[in-house]
Amino acid sequence: MVNSAELMNRHGGIKLLCIDDDVLGLKSLTVLMQTLGYQIDCAESAAEGLEMVRNGDFDLVITDMNMPEMNGLLLTQEIKKIVPETPVIVITGSIDMESRELASGVCPDCVLVKPLDLHEFSEQLNRLLQGETIRESE
């Protein structure tokens, strides 16, 4: 079993940004990421998240799909205009085939459906942080 000091050494230099208007969801994800040893900053709106992206240096951004002022796909598009090399994970409660096509056009690096499978989430996160591109096969 890995202890917390090992986790901090493994992920302590990696900085994540999580954007979600659901405060409870944001807190849950924050606790999870901190438990895994990541540094995490949070934004409670798309506008706040974009400002943090402009002023910060994040290794990866995680955003919710459904937010009132801007959905996760449009937010991804804006993030990629500012920092095209930064991977973005969009998390959604449900996704249909039309949304998947739109998602591939906007280019989030990964789309995950809630409830999150922690193994899959961790695997995708690790791949993106190692610079691997994740695309679903047609």
Side-chain angles (χ1 to χ4, degrees):
M1 182 161 186
V2 178
N3 66 37
S4 59
E6 289 177 272
L7 283 171
M8 288 305 291
N9 287 335
R10 187 179 302 165
H11 302 300
I14 297 173
K15 192 171 177 184
L16 308 177
L17 173 62
C18 184
I19 306 167
D20 194 340
D21 64 313
D22 175 11
V23 177
L24 183 59
L26 199 57
K27 286 182 181 183
S28 297
L29 193 56
T30 299
V31 169
L32 173 63
M33 294 293 93
Q34 288 174 337
T35 301
L36 293 174
Y38 294 101
Q39 295 177 32
I40 185 163
D41 288 339
C42 299
E44 293 180 17
S45 71
E48 182 184 358
L50 283 174
E51 188 63 26
M52 292 175 77
V53 167
R54 283 185 194 96
N55 296 321
D57 185 23
F58 297 98
D59 296 297
L60 185 136
V61 177
I62 303 167
T63 184
D64 188 43
M65 175 72 84
N66 297 312
M67 293 184 288
E69 61 194 47
M70 181 183 295
N71 72 33
L73 298 177
L74 295 175
L75 179 58
T76 297
Q77 190 174 37
E78 294 303 310
I79 290 168
K80 293 292 189 175
K81 287 178 185 176
I82 299 165
V83 285
E85 71 285 350
T86 299
V88 178
I89 296 176
V90 174
I91 299 174
T92 182
S94 65
I95 190 163
D96 58 24
M97 290 313 290
E98 182 179 320
S99 296
R100 284 185 189 271
E101 290 171 17
L102 180 57
S104 66
V106 174
C107 297
D109 298 279
C110 180
V111 177
L112 297 174
V113 179
K114 296 176 192 174
L116 291 177
D117 175 302
L118 294 181
H119 176 74
E120 178 187 14
F121 178 65
S122 177
E123 186 177 280
Q124 302 290 21
L125 187 65
N126 287 329
R127 285 185 191 168
L128 288 170
L129 290 169
Q130 292 172 10
E132 295 178 24
T133 302
I134 300 172
R135 293 283 178 223
E136 292 187 58
S137 58
E138 301 273 326

